[in-house]
Amino acid sequence: MPVKIAVNGYGTIGKRIVDAVLSNKDFRLVGIAKYRVDYSAYLAARKGIPIYVPRERASEFREAGLEPHGYVDYLFEEADLIYDASPGGKGAGNKKIYESYGKPGVFQGGEEPGVAELSYSTLCNFEEALNKKYVRVVSCNTTGMLRLLCTLHREYGVKRALSVIIRRAADPKEDQRGPVNSILLDPPSIPSHHGLDARTVAPWLDIVTAAAVVPTTLMHMQFIEVELSTQVNRGDVVELLDGINRFLLVESASTGIDSTSKVMELARDSGRPRGDIYENIVFIDSLSINASRLYLFQGIHQESIVIPENIDVAYAMLGIESDPLKVMERVDSTLGIGGLRRFISPHGYIQIGGAP
Amino acid sequence: MPVKIAVNGYGTIGKRIVDAVLSNKDFRLVGIAKYRVDYSAYLAARKGIPIYVPRERASEFREAGLEPHGYVDYLFEEADLIYDASPGGKGAGNKKIYESYGKPGVFQGGEEPGVAELSYSTLCNFEEALNKKYVRVVSCNTTGMLRLLCTLHREYGVKRALSVIIRRAADPKEDQRGPVNSILLDPPSIPSHHGLDARTVAPWLDIVTAAAVVPTTLMHMQFIEVELSTQVNRGDVVELLDGINRFLLVESASTGIDSTSKVMELARDSGRPRGDIYENIVFIDSLSINASRLYLFQGIHQESIVIPENIDVAYAMLGIESDPLKVMERVDSTLGIGGLRRFISPHGYIQIGGAP
């Protein structure tokens, strides 16, 4: 019998979790909690998604022509698992509500680690999430870093890592954020919080991170340096990463794809909903190895990269499936992860922007 | 008696060299060579700068209302030193012309290293430029990296360095370059050419560089990691860099300056011509040390950072002065380098963009 899901919030993350839940037969969406009448409320209504509202707000929704499906207390009562997709920082308050209903909850990376029993990333610590009640899926940049570093650690051992994160300034819809024409150190100190955040999942990780914000909306770009415990062969690393659907290896020379905007064009052309990219985009021409040091650039789609991990973790928390490989296979197939490969494989690649 | 200078080209670099020469009593500007009637030709004329043109182009200039001061052959004949500030890649052809007049020449970083006897950066190899006839001043990013790395190497020894360069997409006037909304790997491979270029000046340097272009016009931002031969104290590094005018140390916490745009505002407010910033802008809140590893961010003003080195090198090539410290003191004082400090010192700092 499918697991009943409530999604608290319908913003950037919430609406994507909803779509992922709807596409997966292991889950059934009870509905979403909405607190304000806005574009996303109408969007949900048009899509036939049940909207639950606080009792005291019901008239506001009715006046706006949005008949609520019910009240949020029913939604939380009915659900087996609640996704907290509220604005960052509201999770701790919401947790008390979820606890009052005795329901498990998945929080997002904008919350303090203390909100949950465990900070989580599938390729690092799926097993630790088994039967946990409150889990925090780390944020987009941390998720992207950890997928790579935990994979490399398991295979070769990671002695030390460095990441310089070139961050997007705003999401596409955010027209009030900057910078417009500047490179902003955020923070102006080193290390940035990303390394600390990564260690909430992988305490063994010796990492320094630094971050600057630049005027673009599409994706983050991470420069990564990893000192491995063993000397490795470039071909083996390529094969390792290519064997995991959460990584999409893009060869710039053959495809012409050497930027975040060209990656987005691939996602849009492929028919991905919203042009989302759930995978770490590893620019493999940049993957170079010097003795035991590995370097690469990877692109991170900030709006969608955490969605697979959000779904994965439900399998662990609710004890549906305890093998992370089976869980990823299931989640990847429902989200179409792995499917972009055929557009850029050496045998059928497309070229964007002319000759490589 | 002042040294007679010709400047071949009057673009981004050429016009700044001209202004630096005009501000320095050790030099006398004979004039500039211009090949086309355009905005910068009128600009030079308005500023009273003697314009020399090819014989066959003289009528074109006259028809445009620009009476040439003379022909380029006279300019090159008359000069003691020629600055090649022509578009990148034209230097090799021009060198043959300079040779035909028997005149020494300074080339820019856009030329192949082979164009000159020596690739140059003052804080690295001033002495090697003494009495050389053809010298190449390396490009903006390489100049910024080498100032720092050679200074650290002399004091502590540099075992290994890494730089991730977040490059500006275009200069402010360039309205046809991109990207507009993308992070472009340039190149999509690692290492980028910057490390190789740095080694043309400092062959001892073990360095990996990587570069991405982002949608901004103001400055480059370099993330730097250096592994030093000795354990160092953060305060000592701050004191070392603060003692050299080519570095401007900006404390973000007290000044609120944590981005390239805020640095530019400082330069504009200070009255610097064109808002130029000749110094490496070291964001000292980012300067952190972990055992023998040093990390920092530094901002590099691509249009002007190479100007001091262009002037310095003339002192060496022409044998005017053989002590680099005296040369830098002289050049810095004519360009006002060091003068921005009073705007951001702890005793009289300004705040930009509100509270830190």
Side-chain angles (χ1 to χ4, degrees), chain B residues 102-290:
Chain B
K103 297 302 166 81
V106 177
F107 296 92
Q108 304 304 312
E111 306 304 327
E112 293 295 322
V115 75
E117 298 162 87
L118 182 75
S119 287
Y120 172 84
S121 195
T122 305
L123 287 164
C124 299
N125 64 348
F126 177 89
E127 289 81 357
E128 290 179 48
L130 288 167
N131 304 310
K132 285 283 190 303
K133 199 151 184 184
Y134 296 104
V135 176
R136 168 180 168 264
V137 174
V138 288
S139 64
C140 51
N141 269 312
T142 310
T143 293
M145 269 192 309
L146 284 172
R147 283 183 184 170
L148 180 73
L149 295 175
C150 288
T151 299
L152 292 174
H153 187 61
R154 198 169 44 243
E155 199 72 15
Y156 309 115
V158 167
K159 277 172 70 178
R160 202 180 65 86
L162 169 79
S163 180
V164 181
I165 306 176
I166 306 173
R167 289 176 51 197
R168 65 87 182 90
D171 285 347
K173 72 176 175 192
E174 296 174 322
D175 43 25
Q176 292 182 317
R177 291 180 67 172
V180 169
N181 186 15
S182 191
I183 301 171
L184 170 66
L185 300 181
D186 187 18
S189 52
I190 298 175
S192 69
H193 76 278
H194 302 92
L196 288 173
D197 197 32
R199 276 196 289 273
T200 65
V201 173
W204 48 266
L205 186 59
D206 179 4
I207 187 169
V208 169
T209 57
V213 183
V214 302
T216 180
T217 62
L218 304 177
M219 299 177 82
H220 303 296
M221 183 71 85
Q222 297 180 346
F223 169 86
I224 306 264
E225 180 194 39
V226 188
E227 203 174 326
L228 299 166
S229 299
T230 48
Q231 293 229 354
V232 297
N233 177 296
R234 184 178 183 280
D236 292 343
V237 177
V238 170
E239 198 176 328
L240 171 68
L241 299 180
D242 200 36
I244 300 170
N245 278 334
R246 299 283 161 97
F247 299 94
L248 179 66
L249 277 52
V250 174
E251 189 185 64
S252 303
S254 62
T255 62
I257 300 174
D258 56 3
S259 69
T260 57
S261 57
K262 289 172 189 149
V263 169
M264 290 303 296
E265 191 76 353
L266 166 66
R268 295 164 73 210
D269 286 337
S270 74
R272 277 280 177 88
R274 298 187 176 88
D276 282 351
I277 304 171
Y278 309 112
E279 300 90 341
N280 286 27
I281 301 295
V282 179
F283 291 90
I284 56 169
D285 302 41
S286 76
L287 198 169
S288 60
I289 292 174
N290 185 349

Side-chain angles (χ1 to χ4, degrees), chain B residues 34-111:
Chain B
K34 273 295 292 173
Y35 301 85
R36 284 187 314 160
V37 175
D38 57 14
Y39 158 75
S40 76
Y42 288 104
L43 174 70
R46 282 289 167 91
K47 290 187 149 201
I49 294 162
I51 299 173
Y52 294 81
V53 305
R55 282 173 194 275
E56 66 278 14
R57 295 278 174 87
S59 61
E60 191 183 317
F61 278 79
R62 284 193 190 105
E63 282 159 23
L66 292 164
E67 181 58 38
H69 211 81
Y71 301 127
V72 290
D73 40 2
Y74 174 83
L75 173 68
F76 295 151
E77 188 63 62
E78 185 69 7
D80 299 320
L81 177 72
I82 303 170
Y83 281 100
D84 186 81
S86 57
K90 291 208 161 186
N94 291 342
K95 184 186 180 187
K96 291 186 184 134
I97 301 171
Y98 310 153
E99 283 177 326
S100 74
Y101 290 93
K103 297 302 166 81
V106 177
F107 296 92
Q108 304 304 312
E111 306 304 327

Side-chain angles (χ1 to χ4, degrees), chain A residues 292-306:
Chain A
S292 60
R293 285 202 183 83
L294 177 154
Y295 304 90
L296 60 77
F297 277 110
Q298 61 177 2
I300 304 297
H301 185 225
Q302 73 277 358
E303 296 172 289
S304 68
I305 195 170
V306 299

Side-chain angles (χ1 to χ4, degrees), chain A residues 234-247:
Chain A
R234 184 178 182 281
D236 292 342
V237 177
V238 170
E239 198 176 327
L240 171 68
L241 299 181
D242 201 35
I244 301 171
N245 278 335
R246 299 284 160 98
F247 300 94

Side-chain angles (χ1 to χ4, degrees), chain A residues 19-248:
Chain A
D19 288 355
V21 166
L22 290 171
S23 72
N24 189 323
K25 288 193 165 53
D26 297 331
F27 301 100
R28 185 171 73 75
L29 183 73
V30 183
I32 63 171
K34 274 293 295 174
Y35 302 86
R36 284 186 315 161
V37 175
D38 57 14
Y39 158 74
S40 76
Y42 288 104
L43 175 68
R46 283 288 167 91
K47 291 187 148 200
I49 294 162
I51 300 174
Y52 293 80
V53 306
R55 283 176 191 274
E56 67 277 14
R57 294 277 173 87
S59 61
E60 192 182 316
F61 277 80
R62 286 195 187 102
E63 282 160 24
L66 293 164
E67 182 59 37
H69 210 82
Y71 302 126
V72 289
D73 39 3
Y74 174 83
L75 173 68
F76 295 152
E77 189 63 61
E78 185 70 7
D80 299 319
L81 176 73
I82 303 169
Y83 280 99
D84 187 80
S86 56
K90 291 208 163 187
N94 290 343
K95 185 188 180 187
K96 291 187 183 133
I97 300 171
Y98 309 153
E99 282 176 325
S100 74
Y101 290 92
K103 297 302 166 82
V106 177
F107 296 92
Q108 305 304 313
E111 308 304 327
E112 293 295 324
V115 76
E117 299 162 86
L118 182 74
S119 287
Y120 172 85
S121 195
T122 305
L123 288 163
C124 299
N125 65 347
F126 177 88
E127 288 82 357
E128 291 179 48
L130 288 167
N131 304 308
K132 285 282 190 306
K133 198 151 185 186
Y134 296 104
V135 175
R136 169 179 168 263
V137 174
V138 290
S139 63
C140 51
N141 269 311
T142 309
T143 293
M145 271 192 308
L146 284 173
R147 282 182 184 171
L148 180 72
L149 295 175
C150 288
T151 299
L152 293 174
H153 187 60
R154 198 171 43 243
E155 198 71 15
Y156 309 117
V158 167
K159 278 173 70 177
R160 202 180 65 85
L162 170 80
S163 179
V164 181
I165 306 175
I166 306 174
R167 290 176 48 198
R168 65 87 182 89
D171 285 348
K173 70 174 175 192
E174 296 174 321
D175 43 25
Q176 292 182 317
R177 291 180 68 174
V180 169
N181 186 13
S182 191
I183 301 170
L184 170 67
L185 301 181
D186 188 17
S189 52
I190 298 174
S192 69
H193 76 279
H194 303 90
L196 288 173
D197 196 33
R199 275 196 291 272
T200 65
V201 173
W204 48 266
L205 186 61
D206 179 5
I207 187 169
V208 170
T209 56
V213 182
V214 302
T216 181
T217 63
L218 303 177
M219 299 178 82
H220 303 297
M221 183 71 85
Q222 298 180 346
F223 169 86
I224 305 264
E225 180 195 40
V226 188
E227 204 174 324
L228 299 166
S229 299
T230 48
Q231 293 229 357
V232 297
N233 178 296
R234 184 178 182 281
D236 292 342
V237 177
V238 170
E239 198 176 327
L240 171 68
L241 299 181
D242 201 35
I244 301 171
N245 278 335
R246 299 284 160 98
F247 300 94
L248 179 66

